[in-house]
Amino acid sequence: MRGRIPLGALLGLPLALGPLAWPERPARAQADTAAQPAETPEVLPPGEAREDVFYACTACHSTAVIRRSRLSRQQWDDLMDWMAEKHGMNPLEGEQRRQIVDYLATAFPASSGRRRAGNPFLTD
Ligand code: HEC
């Protein structure tokens, strides 16, 4: 019997991995990612909280809606409340929230004239 993998383990594995592979992903707001290749954190500009932002935000939509936005720090902060209250994002608190808002305000600052809001191809 040694070396044989029980059938039950083979059948159980995908079920056990299922919830890990598909973290809470509401049906809404999926349309804009459906036809696009999978994204990785590197599509966002480098920064301390890049991975936090990537994983907190792409549960529901691609980074495109983030990358095309140019907001002040206050507006990014307000947006975090809006995402949580209106769209059901897990509320961001404390240090993590500060880092995420700092990152967003630095990477995607209010339009300076040089970078125009609304162009998803400007990613620098
Ligand atoms: C629980 C789901 C969910 C999460 C998590 C989430 N969002 Fe959203 N977000 C939405 C929905 C729904 C919309 C509106 C529909 C759309 O534009 O696709 C939206 C829209 C946006 C927009 C566009 C706002 C506009 O001007 O129309 C921005 C920017 C945005 N989200 C940023 C973020 C950031 C940054 C994070 C992570 C910190 C985040 N979202 C996490 C659901 C979510």
Side-chain angles (χ1 to χ4, degrees), residues 24 26 28-30 32 52-62 64-69 71 76 79-80 82-84 86-90 92 100 104:
E24 312 132 30
R28 64 195 166 197
Q30 276 191 10
D32 88 309
D52 283 355
V53 168
F54 183 80
Y55 291 111
C57 309
T58 57
C60 299
H61 49 65
S62 77
V65 294
I66 303 171
R67 287 184 284 131
R68 72 178 175 224
S69 301
L71 303 174
W76 279 117
L79 189 97
M80 296 301 93
W82 184 61
M83 280 304 127
K86 181 86 194 297
H87 297 307
M89 181 176 79
N90 288 335
L92 298 169
I100 283 179
L104 291 166

